[in-house]
Amino acid sequence: MSSMLIVYHSLFGHVARLAEAAALGAGEVEGMRIVTKRVPELVSERDIRRAGGRLQRDVPVADVSDLASFDAILFGARARLGNMSAPMRAFLDASADMWAHGALEGKLGGVFASVAGSGAGQDVAMLGLHATLLQHGMMVAGLPYELSRRVGLGASSPFGATTVAGVRGERSPSEQELDIARRQGAHLARISKRLHG
């Protein structure tokens, strides 16, 4: 049996919705064990509420040591000023000891993101995530061409599924964006099963 961890950071709930869709897609692949977790927040619950964010107490918090226990890992983050969100960056920075020992070498990885507006840095943020995965010696799987060429406001790219959240999180992920995330989860699960199944 192959296993996949979907680990994400989501302030307004958009990345969480993509994570749920990816988990559904991965779950469609027989013989896959799927676990979804969120990275620890760097600010208080009060500050999250003040920013209009959504608390996600029903999703377990990941520990960086969790990464070593899975064959495939799908990372999701908000794009913030052209970078991944600070909580995801801090989470990955905490994996330096794993990097030094090659704990993630040969594992399969993928990424997805949300962004405030179309063309607001999601590709750059996802490439930053890819760079970290490659530093760990992971294999990175992007989206197949037929998924990445779809058009629409959120428009995915070869780097991963995306959604446009709006500046204050006022836009919900479209059905097309959620479908692409679902299909990305299934795509990664199929590859993981071939590699590790």
Side-chain angles (χ1 to χ4, degrees):
M1 176 176 273
S2 187
S3 60
M4 180 188 296
L5 173 65
I6 300 173
V7 62
Y8 68 89
H9 175 253
S10 185
L11 179 61
F12 298 118
H14 298 78
V15 176
R17 294 271 316 276
L18 292 179
E20 291 167 5
L24 285 174
E28 294 169 1
V29 177
E30 189 177 333
M32 285 297 299
R33 180 174 69 91
I34 316 299
V35 174
T36 302
K37 294 188 176 189
R38 60 186 169 93
V39 301
E41 289 290 351
L42 300 178
V43 298
S44 70
E45 289 187 1
R46 190 177 98 187
D47 289 339
I48 292 170
R49 280 193 207 94
R50 188 179 302 150
R54 295 184 188 164
L55 301 174
Q56 297 165 44
R57 293 188 185 112
D58 58 325
V59 179
V61 176
D63 184 273
V64 73
S65 64
D66 294 336
L67 301 176
S69 302
F70 293 86
D71 302 315
I73 308 163
L74 186 54
F75 296 87
R78 296 174 54 233
R80 181 86 172 142
L81 302 173
N83 293 293
M84 70 187 85
S85 61
M88 180 58 78
R89 181 71 268 162
F91 180 78
L92 290 171
D93 285 349
S95 70
D97 191 57
M98 299 177 88
W99 167 80
H101 293 93
L104 303 183
E105 286 179 12
K107 293 183 182 294
L108 180 65
V111 304
F112 58 95
S114 76
V115 67
S118 185
Q122 64 267 42
D123 282 354
V124 176
M126 288 190 289
L127 283 172
L129 280 161
H130 282 177
T132 301
L133 305 188
L134 292 169
Q135 284 287 329
H136 274 290
M138 295 178 72
M139 298 175 286
V140 175
L143 281 178
Y145 176 70
E146 73 92 12
L147 291 178
S148 67
R149 69 183 171 85
R150 290 190 180 188
V151 295
L153 184 60
S156 290
S157 79
F159 309 120
T162 64
T163 186
V164 172
V167 175
R168 291 181 175 76
E170 65 274 9
R171 182 181 176 272
S172 295
S174 71
E175 289 304 316
Q176 183 183 47
E177 292 163 348
L178 293 171
D179 181 59
I180 292 171
R182 182 187 61 75
R183 293 173 71 178
Q184 181 180 13
H187 177 64
L188 240 66
R190 284 191 296 273
I191 295 171
S192 181
K193 193 172 175 186
R194 283 199 298 267
L195 293 171
H196 304 285

